[in-house]
Amino acid sequence: SDSPAVTAAAERQCFLFPLCSQMELKKLAREGYWTTSHSLRAQAYHQIIQHIPCRLVTPDSLVYRDVAIRLFGKQNVSSHPLPEFLEGCFMPTYCLTREGITAVKKILICIGNLFPDITYCPILPAIVTLLLHYSEDEAQCFDNVSHLIACNDSHISYIDQSFLAHKASCMTFGDLANKHCPTAHRLIASASENVSEVYSEWLTWLFGELPFDYAIRILDVYLLEGQKVLYRIALALLRQYKLLVTSRELEVTDIKGDLQAFMQNIREHMTVDKLLERAFGIRLFSRKEIWLLQMANRKALLEKGITMVQRRQSFHLAVDMLKFSSTIVTAQEMRIIWSWIPERFSLFPPVLLFSTSDDGYSLQRYSDICKIIPNGSDFYGGTSSFFGTGECFVFSVRPEMERYEWVFIKKPELTKAVPRSPCQHSSSLSSHTDISSSPNGKVRLSPFLAIRHFLLPSKTASMFMSGTQEGIIIGGGGGQALCIDADLLHGRTEHCETFDNPPLCEENFQVQLLEVWGFQNA
């Protein structure tokens, strides 16, 4: 129990809560200020949550008491099934007593009764369980959870409430892992048949696998900063996991089980303070940009047939190891390559669009079949016109698989950030002046890496790909990452400024076979 001195300090702090700025509260949460007292954290949680903007009609503690009496009366809670939106979801207990576990079930059943629009919500049991530890009773816990569910703040989000939203968040985490944890991402792609399935567990890593004292510190910052902070922490965990795997020098055979064991034994590898320190050292996109990325992923899921009302779906493997067939790469190599492209595209299985063995050595035939030319570009014009975005990359498969991304992904400081001004909306300005910078003046990458978000030091920095009557070019500036002639028979590879890559093979080579892979979303 708290000492009188600590309790008095907690009461003073909570009394001052309305006077604290949002930045001051974030600082207190990140530094673990509320760990000094159970009552301090309990009061802080309640006041923070009650200040979250939410829908006008949001069920509160009084509604809960009425509904609980109507639903349960004197019946045993075990006779009532949990809501369907929790089917197959992990149910952590976090040291609750039998009575506490019963209270969690009652709260979840009442949520299912009062929030009928929720169709899938795997994070909810953990949030309810953690908040119950710091609530006066189950009615107050319900009240607080209701505020999180009904939050209508356009700048922050808390709880995904459909399989579509949940899956889009998982895909967004996969995109972020691909960018911020490339070596860990490659390890997962190599060791797992389905990368998406591994990333679908990312929220369970935080709220389920980690010990209680870690989970509660994550909840501290989550209540103030929303879902974005969970991305940061999961990325920090993924980076630490890769360090562990590298130090063990052992082959990973069960990546999901290995990650689960790592999370459960996190104390052996890093303290919670170090975890949060590393998490907040990761520079992510803005909330708006993450939202745009989630919307793009949601659109891809809708195109795949996922709906708002369905509860969950078993996905087919994007790269089917048994059915995949290529003359150039193995299914395992293609699995890794496919994991490098954005999640909204890798959601669909690879399709062989063109092969010189079937379609002949003809650039015209290649262009007709692949239809890769963007609007407004003349593939066979007299001069080359480069197109593409910073999501483009070049790679080599053997002797080692290596990916070379746009140079500004690794070195964003090379771009020049300028503040937005009203005149930037003028149509007379070059698209290269529309860039994005963070409040501290540092360059921030756009999630889609369109060059309009950057003031680039030279045109060679965005020479992604081009095609003329003379052949195909990928990458430019000081050389070309890949250049193939119009007969699709001879090529050249050099270092280029766009991707900062070494030659991908012998500089001059003869094409034995060329395959072009894409995807079909309908």
mmCIF file of all heavy atoms in Angstrom, residues 283 289 406 408 411-421 424 431-446 451-458:
data_model
loop_
_atom_site.group_PDB
_atom_site.id
_atom_site.type_symbol
_atom_site.label_atom_id
_atom_site.label_comp_id
_atom_site.label_asym_id
_atom_site.label_seq_id
_atom_site.Cartn_x
_atom_site.Cartn_y
_atom_site.Cartn_z
ATOM 1 N N ARG A 283 12.432 7.704 -35.415
ATOM 2 C CA ARG A 283 11.724 8.817 -36.031
ATOM 3 C C ARG A 283 10.715 8.271 -37.034
ATOM 4 O O ARG A 283 11.070 7.790 -38.107
ATOM 5 C CB ARG A 283 12.708 9.752 -36.729
ATOM 6 C CG ARG A 283 12.068 11.034 -37.253
ATOM 7 C CD ARG A 283 13.124 11.993 -37.754
ATOM 8 N NE ARG A 283 13.916 11.411 -38.819
ATOM 9 C CZ ARG A 283 15.027 11.940 -39.295
ATOM 10 N NH1 ARG A 283 15.502 13.045 -38.751
ATOM 11 N NH2 ARG A 283 15.690 11.384 -40.289
ATOM 12 N N GLU A 289 0.384 11.072 -41.753
ATOM 13 C CA GLU A 289 0.995 10.244 -42.792
ATOM 14 C C GLU A 289 0.794 8.762 -42.502
ATOM 15 O O GLU A 289 0.585 7.968 -43.422
ATOM 16 C CB GLU A 289 2.477 10.602 -42.922
ATOM 17 C CG GLU A 289 2.680 11.963 -43.558
ATOM 18 C CD GLU A 289 4.103 12.490 -43.419
ATOM 19 O OE1 GLU A 289 4.757 12.197 -42.400
ATOM 20 O OE2 GLU A 289 4.547 13.207 -44.313
ATOM 21 N N TRP A 406 16.101 3.708 -52.141
ATOM 22 C CA TRP A 406 16.354 5.105 -52.486
ATOM 23 C C TRP A 406 17.296 5.703 -51.457
ATOM 24 O O TRP A 406 17.149 5.509 -50.252
ATOM 25 C CB TRP A 406 15.016 5.843 -52.508
ATOM 26 C CG TRP A 406 15.073 7.243 -53.010
ATOM 27 C CD1 TRP A 406 15.929 7.758 -53.941
ATOM 28 C CD2 TRP A 406 14.231 8.329 -52.596
ATOM 29 N NE1 TRP A 406 15.661 9.081 -54.153
ATOM 30 C CE2 TRP A 406 14.632 9.465 -53.351
ATOM 31 C CE3 TRP A 406 13.170 8.443 -51.709
ATOM 32 C CZ2 TRP A 406 14.014 10.708 -53.205
ATOM 33 C CZ3 TRP A 406 12.549 9.668 -51.563
ATOM 34 C CH2 TRP A 406 12.972 10.782 -52.298
ATOM 35 N N PHE A 408 17.674 8.432 -50.053
ATOM 36 C CA PHE A 408 17.182 9.300 -48.990
ATOM 37 C C PHE A 408 16.462 8.545 -47.882
ATOM 38 O O PHE A 408 16.126 9.124 -46.853
ATOM 39 C CB PHE A 408 16.282 10.387 -49.577
ATOM 40 C CG PHE A 408 17.042 11.328 -50.471
ATOM 41 C CD1 PHE A 408 16.788 11.369 -51.826
ATOM 42 C CD2 PHE A 408 18.046 12.136 -49.964
ATOM 43 C CE1 PHE A 408 17.499 12.204 -52.655
ATOM 44 C CE2 PHE A 408 18.772 12.972 -50.786
ATOM 45 C CZ PHE A 408 18.500 13.007 -52.143
ATOM 46 N N LYS A 411 19.559 8.231 -45.884
ATOM 47 C CA LYS A 411 20.187 9.519 -45.606
ATOM 48 C C LYS A 411 19.202 10.659 -45.850
ATOM 49 O O LYS A 411 19.387 11.476 -46.763
ATOM 50 C CB LYS A 411 21.427 9.696 -46.490
ATOM 51 C CG LYS A 411 22.467 8.590 -46.335
ATOM 52 C CD LYS A 411 23.606 8.763 -47.329
ATOM 53 C CE LYS A 411 24.627 7.632 -47.209
ATOM 54 N NZ LYS A 411 25.717 7.763 -48.199
ATOM 55 N N PRO A 412 18.112 10.728 -45.061
ATOM 56 C CA PRO A 412 17.115 11.782 -45.295
ATOM 57 C C PRO A 412 17.664 13.180 -45.098
ATOM 58 O O PRO A 412 17.105 14.146 -45.609
ATOM 59 C CB PRO A 412 16.018 11.457 -44.278
ATOM 60 C CG PRO A 412 16.699 10.652 -43.219
ATOM 61 C CD PRO A 412 17.758 9.865 -43.922
ATOM 62 N N GLU A 413 18.783 13.279 -44.373
ATOM 63 C CA GLU A 413 19.349 14.594 -44.121
ATOM 64 C C GLU A 413 19.893 15.239 -45.395
ATOM 65 O O GLU A 413 20.162 16.450 -45.430
ATOM 66 C CB GLU A 413 20.462 14.501 -43.070
ATOM 67 C CG GLU A 413 21.714 13.735 -43.521
ATOM 68 C CD GLU A 413 21.577 12.225 -43.361
ATOM 69 O OE1 GLU A 413 20.493 11.770 -42.947
ATOM 70 O OE2 GLU A 413 22.555 11.511 -43.645
ATOM 71 N N LEU A 414 20.042 14.457 -46.466
ATOM 72 C CA LEU A 414 20.554 15.006 -47.719
ATOM 73 C C LEU A 414 19.528 15.879 -48.431
ATOM 74 O O LEU A 414 19.871 16.669 -49.301
ATOM 75 C CB LEU A 414 20.990 13.874 -48.659
ATOM 76 C CG LEU A 414 22.174 13.016 -48.182
ATOM 77 C CD1 LEU A 414 22.485 11.946 -49.212
ATOM 78 C CD2 LEU A 414 23.396 13.877 -47.916
ATOM 79 N N THR A 415 18.253 15.717 -48.078
ATOM 80 C CA THR A 415 17.233 16.581 -48.667
ATOM 81 C C THR A 415 17.214 17.898 -47.907
ATOM 82 O O THR A 415 17.717 18.009 -46.791
ATOM 83 C CB THR A 415 15.845 15.931 -48.586
ATOM 84 O OG1 THR A 415 15.497 15.759 -47.221
ATOM 85 C CG2 THR A 415 15.828 14.604 -49.299
ATOM 86 N N LYS A 416 16.601 18.877 -48.507
ATOM 87 C CA LYS A 416 16.539 20.201 -47.894
ATOM 88 C C LYS A 416 15.091 20.524 -47.561
ATOM 89 O O LYS A 416 14.252 20.617 -48.445
ATOM 90 C CB LYS A 416 17.108 21.253 -48.837
ATOM 91 C CG LYS A 416 18.585 21.019 -49.182
ATOM 92 C CD LYS A 416 19.083 22.043 -50.177
ATOM 93 C CE LYS A 416 20.543 21.789 -50.547
ATOM 94 N NZ LYS A 416 21.032 22.764 -51.539
ATOM 95 N N ALA A 417 14.818 20.668 -46.281
ATOM 96 C CA ALA A 417 13.455 20.952 -45.846
ATOM 97 C C ALA A 417 13.196 22.449 -45.873
ATOM 98 O O ALA A 417 14.032 23.243 -45.450
ATOM 99 C CB ALA A 417 13.234 20.413 -44.439
ATOM 100 N N VAL A 418 12.043 22.862 -46.370
ATOM 101 C CA VAL A 418 11.642 24.266 -46.321
ATOM 102 C C VAL A 418 10.256 24.327 -45.716
ATOM 103 O O VAL A 418 9.437 23.440 -45.932
ATOM 104 C CB VAL A 418 11.622 24.903 -47.726
ATOM 105 C CG1 VAL A 418 13.015 24.980 -48.303
ATOM 106 C CG2 VAL A 418 10.703 24.142 -48.665
ATOM 107 N N PRO A 419 9.958 25.355 -44.909
ATOM 108 C CA PRO A 419 8.627 25.426 -44.290
ATOM 109 C C PRO A 419 7.545 25.662 -45.327
ATOM 110 O O PRO A 419 7.760 26.330 -46.330
ATOM 111 C CB PRO A 419 8.754 26.623 -43.326
ATOM 112 C CG PRO A 419 9.851 27.451 -43.921
ATOM 113 C CD PRO A 419 10.811 26.484 -44.551
ATOM 114 N N ARG A 420 6.368 25.100 -45.049
ATOM 115 C CA ARG A 420 5.235 25.318 -45.942
ATOM 116 C C ARG A 420 4.780 26.777 -45.850
ATOM 117 O O ARG A 420 4.832 27.382 -44.790
ATOM 118 C CB ARG A 420 4.061 24.396 -45.562
ATOM 119 C CG ARG A 420 4.332 22.944 -45.841
ATOM 120 C CD ARG A 420 3.105 22.123 -45.487
ATOM 121 N NE ARG A 420 3.336 20.708 -45.732
ATOM 122 C CZ ARG A 420 3.124 20.124 -46.896
ATOM 123 N NH1 ARG A 420 2.685 20.830 -47.917
ATOM 124 N NH2 ARG A 420 3.345 18.830 -47.058
ATOM 125 N N SER A 421 4.318 27.304 -46.946
ATOM 126 C CA SER A 421 3.763 28.647 -46.958
ATOM 127 C C SER A 421 2.582 28.681 -47.906
ATOM 128 O O SER A 421 2.458 27.810 -48.762
ATOM 129 C CB SER A 421 4.831 29.653 -47.403
ATOM 130 O OG SER A 421 5.236 29.376 -48.731
ATOM 131 N N GLN A 424 2.984 27.983 -51.580
ATOM 132 C CA GLN A 424 3.341 26.660 -52.067
ATOM 133 C C GLN A 424 2.180 25.980 -52.753
ATOM 134 O O GLN A 424 2.364 24.994 -53.453
ATOM 135 C CB GLN A 424 3.839 25.787 -50.921
ATOM 136 C CG GLN A 424 5.280 26.079 -50.559
ATOM 137 C CD GLN A 424 5.784 25.104 -49.535
ATOM 138 O OE1 GLN A 424 5.457 25.207 -48.366
ATOM 139 N NE2 GLN A 424 6.575 24.154 -49.946
ATOM 140 N N SER A 431 6.797 20.676 -58.429
ATOM 141 C CA SER A 431 6.324 19.693 -57.447
ATOM 142 C C SER A 431 7.413 19.348 -56.457
ATOM 143 O O SER A 431 7.142 18.843 -55.387
ATOM 144 C CB SER A 431 5.851 18.425 -58.169
ATOM 145 O OG SER A 431 6.929 17.826 -58.854
ATOM 146 N N HIS A 432 8.652 19.610 -56.779
ATOM 147 C CA HIS A 432 9.748 19.257 -55.876
ATOM 148 C C HIS A 432 9.817 20.166 -54.663
ATOM 149 O O HIS A 432 10.576 19.906 -53.745
ATOM 150 C CB HIS A 432 11.086 19.315 -56.627
ATOM 151 C CG HIS A 432 11.327 18.138 -57.512
ATOM 152 N ND1 HIS A 432 12.570 17.732 -57.873
ATOM 153 C CD2 HIS A 432 10.465 17.280 -58.110
ATOM 154 C CE1 HIS A 432 12.494 16.673 -58.668
ATOM 155 N NE2 HIS A 432 11.215 16.396 -58.823
ATOM 156 N N THR A 433 9.017 21.258 -54.622
ATOM 157 C CA THR A 433 9.085 22.150 -53.470
ATOM 158 C C THR A 433 8.127 21.764 -52.371
ATOM 159 O O THR A 433 8.158 22.329 -51.295
ATOM 160 C CB THR A 433 8.782 23.600 -53.893
ATOM 161 O OG1 THR A 433 7.456 23.645 -54.409
ATOM 162 C CG2 THR A 433 9.770 24.079 -54.926
ATOM 163 N N ASP A 434 7.281 20.782 -52.617
ATOM 164 C CA ASP A 434 6.288 20.364 -51.611
ATOM 165 C C ASP A 434 6.865 19.255 -50.757
ATOM 166 O O ASP A 434 6.691 18.092 -51.020
ATOM 167 C CB ASP A 434 5.024 19.881 -52.318
ATOM 168 C CG ASP A 434 3.951 19.492 -51.315
ATOM 169 O OD1 ASP A 434 4.097 19.870 -50.140
ATOM 170 O OD2 ASP A 434 2.995 18.816 -51.718
ATOM 171 N N ILE A 435 7.609 19.653 -49.721
ATOM 172 C CA ILE A 435 8.265 18.658 -48.884
ATOM 173 C C ILE A 435 7.711 18.731 -47.486
ATOM 174 O O ILE A 435 6.950 19.640 -47.143
ATOM 175 C CB ILE A 435 9.805 18.821 -48.880
ATOM 176 C CG1 ILE A 435 10.194 20.148 -48.230
ATOM 177 C CG2 ILE A 435 10.344 18.800 -50.283
ATOM 178 C CD1 ILE A 435 10.524 20.053 -46.816
ATOM 179 N N SER A 436 8.077 17.782 -46.674
ATOM 180 C CA SER A 436 7.513 17.687 -45.332
ATOM 181 C C SER A 436 8.620 17.760 -44.309
ATOM 182 O O SER A 436 9.622 17.073 -44.426
ATOM 183 C CB SER A 436 6.760 16.362 -45.199
ATOM 184 O OG SER A 436 6.191 16.249 -43.932
ATOM 185 N N SER A 437 8.452 18.613 -43.290
ATOM 186 C CA SER A 437 9.457 18.701 -42.233
ATOM 187 C C SER A 437 8.783 18.627 -40.884
ATOM 188 O O SER A 437 7.643 19.028 -40.720
ATOM 189 C CB SER A 437 10.250 20.007 -42.342
ATOM 190 O OG SER A 437 9.403 21.105 -42.192
ATOM 191 N N SER A 438 9.496 18.099 -39.896
ATOM 192 C CA SER A 438 8.958 17.966 -38.550
ATOM 193 C C SER A 438 9.135 19.276 -37.807
ATOM 194 O O SER A 438 9.880 20.151 -38.233
ATOM 195 C CB SER A 438 9.683 16.824 -37.825
ATOM 196 O OG SER A 438 11.065 17.094 -37.778
ATOM 197 N N PRO A 439 8.451 19.429 -36.640
ATOM 198 C CA PRO A 439 8.541 20.687 -35.906
ATOM 199 C C PRO A 439 9.962 21.064 -35.518
ATOM 200 O O PRO A 439 10.269 22.242 -35.397
ATOM 201 C CB PRO A 439 7.677 20.421 -34.662
ATOM 202 C CG PRO A 439 6.705 19.380 -35.100
ATOM 203 C CD PRO A 439 7.471 18.511 -36.065
ATOM 204 N N ASN A 440 10.844 20.086 -35.332
ATOM 205 C CA ASN A 440 12.217 20.415 -34.939
ATOM 206 C C ASN A 440 13.105 20.695 -36.139
ATOM 207 O O ASN A 440 14.313 20.827 -36.006
ATOM 208 C CB ASN A 440 12.823 19.287 -34.091
ATOM 209 C CG ASN A 440 12.860 17.965 -34.837
ATOM 210 O OD1 ASN A 440 12.663 17.904 -36.053
ATOM 211 N ND2 ASN A 440 13.120 16.891 -34.105
ATOM 212 N N GLY A 441 12.501 20.762 -37.349
ATOM 213 C CA GLY A 441 13.269 21.117 -38.527
ATOM 214 C C GLY A 441 13.893 19.949 -39.253
ATOM 215 O O GLY A 441 14.477 20.118 -40.314
ATOM 216 N N LYS A 442 13.790 18.755 -38.712
ATOM 217 C CA LYS A 442 14.379 17.592 -39.356
ATOM 218 C C LYS A 442 13.486 17.101 -40.485
ATOM 219 O O LYS A 442 12.274 17.206 -40.436
ATOM 220 C CB LYS A 442 14.597 16.459 -38.338
ATOM 221 C CG LYS A 442 15.628 16.792 -37.273
ATOM 222 C CD LYS A 442 15.847 15.608 -36.349
ATOM 223 C CE LYS A 442 16.910 15.923 -35.295
ATOM 224 N NZ LYS A 442 17.116 14.774 -34.380
ATOM 225 N N VAL A 443 14.118 16.553 -41.516
ATOM 226 C CA VAL A 443 13.357 16.036 -42.643
ATOM 227 C C VAL A 443 12.569 14.819 -42.215
ATOM 228 O O VAL A 443 13.052 13.970 -41.483
ATOM 229 C CB VAL A 443 14.322 15.655 -43.796
ATOM 230 C CG1 VAL A 443 13.549 14.997 -44.930
ATOM 231 C CG2 VAL A 443 15.049 16.892 -44.287
ATOM 232 N N ARG A 444 11.317 14.742 -42.664
ATOM 233 C CA ARG A 444 10.477 13.597 -42.347
ATOM 234 C C ARG A 444 10.058 12.937 -43.649
ATOM 235 O O ARG A 444 9.553 13.594 -44.552
ATOM 236 C CB ARG A 444 9.248 14.057 -41.565
ATOM 237 C CG ARG A 444 8.372 12.920 -41.089
ATOM 238 C CD ARG A 444 7.188 13.452 -40.292
ATOM 239 N NE ARG A 444 6.306 14.215 -41.133
ATOM 240 C CZ ARG A 444 5.927 15.457 -40.854
ATOM 241 N NH1 ARG A 444 6.375 16.055 -39.787
ATOM 242 N NH2 ARG A 444 5.101 16.103 -41.655
ATOM 243 N N LEU A 445 10.272 11.649 -43.774
ATOM 244 C CA LEU A 445 9.923 10.944 -44.991
ATOM 245 C C LEU A 445 8.419 10.749 -45.120
ATOM 246 O O LEU A 445 7.745 10.456 -44.146
ATOM 247 C CB LEU A 445 10.612 9.577 -45.015
ATOM 248 C CG LEU A 445 12.131 9.588 -45.135
ATOM 249 C CD1 LEU A 445 12.648 8.158 -45.061
ATOM 250 C CD2 LEU A 445 12.578 10.237 -46.421
ATOM 251 N N SER A 446 7.926 10.925 -46.320
ATOM 252 C CA SER A 446 6.528 10.611 -46.602
ATOM 253 C C SER A 446 6.361 9.107 -46.644
ATOM 254 O O SER A 446 7.259 8.394 -47.075
ATOM 255 C CB SER A 446 6.137 11.205 -47.957
ATOM 256 O OG SER A 446 5.015 10.527 -48.485
ATOM 257 N N ILE A 451 8.353 12.137 -54.675
ATOM 258 C CA ILE A 451 9.426 13.139 -54.683
ATOM 259 C C ILE A 451 8.895 14.544 -54.416
ATOM 260 O O ILE A 451 9.672 15.436 -54.085
ATOM 261 C CB ILE A 451 10.220 13.112 -56.010
ATOM 262 C CG1 ILE A 451 9.283 13.374 -57.194
ATOM 263 C CG2 ILE A 451 10.959 11.810 -56.168
ATOM 264 C CD1 ILE A 451 10.019 13.499 -58.517
ATOM 265 N N ARG A 452 7.573 14.759 -54.535
ATOM 266 C CA ARG A 452 7.039 16.093 -54.252
ATOM 267 C C ARG A 452 7.197 16.470 -52.785
ATOM 268 O O ARG A 452 7.041 17.629 -52.421
ATOM 269 C CB ARG A 452 5.566 16.167 -54.658
ATOM 270 C CG ARG A 452 4.631 15.347 -53.798
ATOM 271 C CD ARG A 452 3.173 15.545 -54.220
ATOM 272 N NE ARG A 452 2.247 14.779 -53.401
ATOM 273 C CZ ARG A 452 1.901 13.525 -53.636
ATOM 274 N NH1 ARG A 452 2.417 12.895 -54.678
ATOM 275 N NH2 ARG A 452 1.052 12.895 -52.852
ATOM 276 N N HIS A 453 7.482 15.477 -51.926
ATOM 277 C CA HIS A 453 7.657 15.748 -50.499
ATOM 278 C C HIS A 453 9.078 16.191 -50.165
ATOM 279 O O HIS A 453 9.388 16.400 -49.005
ATOM 280 C CB HIS A 453 7.312 14.507 -49.676
ATOM 281 C CG HIS A 453 5.864 14.153 -49.694
ATOM 282 N ND1 HIS A 453 4.944 14.753 -48.880
ATOM 283 C CD2 HIS A 453 5.167 13.265 -50.441
ATOM 284 C CE1 HIS A 453 3.741 14.260 -49.109
ATOM 285 N NE2 HIS A 453 3.853 13.351 -50.060
ATOM 286 N N PHE A 454 9.937 16.303 -51.169
ATOM 287 C CA PHE A 454 11.345 16.573 -50.893
ATOM 288 C C PHE A 454 11.894 17.643 -51.831
ATOM 289 O O PHE A 454 11.525 17.714 -52.997
ATOM 290 C CB PHE A 454 12.182 15.294 -51.063
ATOM 291 C CG PHE A 454 11.691 14.148 -50.235
ATOM 292 C CD1 PHE A 454 10.772 13.246 -50.749
ATOM 293 C CD2 PHE A 454 12.127 13.974 -48.935
ATOM 294 C CE1 PHE A 454 10.299 12.198 -49.997
ATOM 295 C CE2 PHE A 454 11.658 12.926 -48.165
ATOM 296 C CZ PHE A 454 10.745 12.044 -48.689
ATOM 297 N N LEU A 455 12.730 18.482 -51.294
ATOM 298 C CA LEU A 455 13.489 19.418 -52.104
ATOM 299 C C LEU A 455 14.843 18.749 -52.329
ATOM 300 O O LEU A 455 15.711 18.760 -51.461
ATOM 301 C CB LEU A 455 13.652 20.757 -51.386
ATOM 302 C CG LEU A 455 14.303 21.876 -52.193
ATOM 303 C CD1 LEU A 455 13.465 22.198 -53.429
ATOM 304 C CD2 LEU A 455 14.465 23.122 -51.345
ATOM 305 N N LEU A 456 15.008 18.127 -53.482
ATOM 306 C CA LEU A 456 16.167 17.280 -53.731
ATOM 307 C C LEU A 456 17.354 18.109 -54.214
ATOM 308 O O LEU A 456 17.183 19.108 -54.925
ATOM 309 C CB LEU A 456 15.813 16.203 -54.759
ATOM 310 C CG LEU A 456 14.625 15.318 -54.378
ATOM 311 C CD1 LEU A 456 14.310 14.337 -55.494
ATOM 312 C CD2 LEU A 456 14.905 14.579 -53.090
ATOM 313 N N PRO A 457 18.565 17.697 -53.853
ATOM 314 C CA PRO A 457 19.756 18.470 -54.221
ATOM 315 C C PRO A 457 20.059 18.427 -55.713
ATOM 316 O O PRO A 457 20.753 19.289 -56.225
ATOM 317 C CB PRO A 457 20.871 17.809 -53.397
ATOM 318 C CG PRO A 457 20.380 16.421 -53.146
ATOM 319 C CD PRO A 457 18.904 16.532 -53.011
ATOM 320 N N SER A 458 19.562 17.408 -56.422
ATOM 321 C CA SER A 458 19.821 17.301 -57.859
ATOM 322 C C SER A 458 18.778 16.409 -58.494
ATOM 323 O O SER A 458 18.119 15.617 -57.827
ATOM 324 C CB SER A 458 21.224 16.713 -58.107
ATOM 325 O OG SER A 458 21.282 15.371 -57.683
#
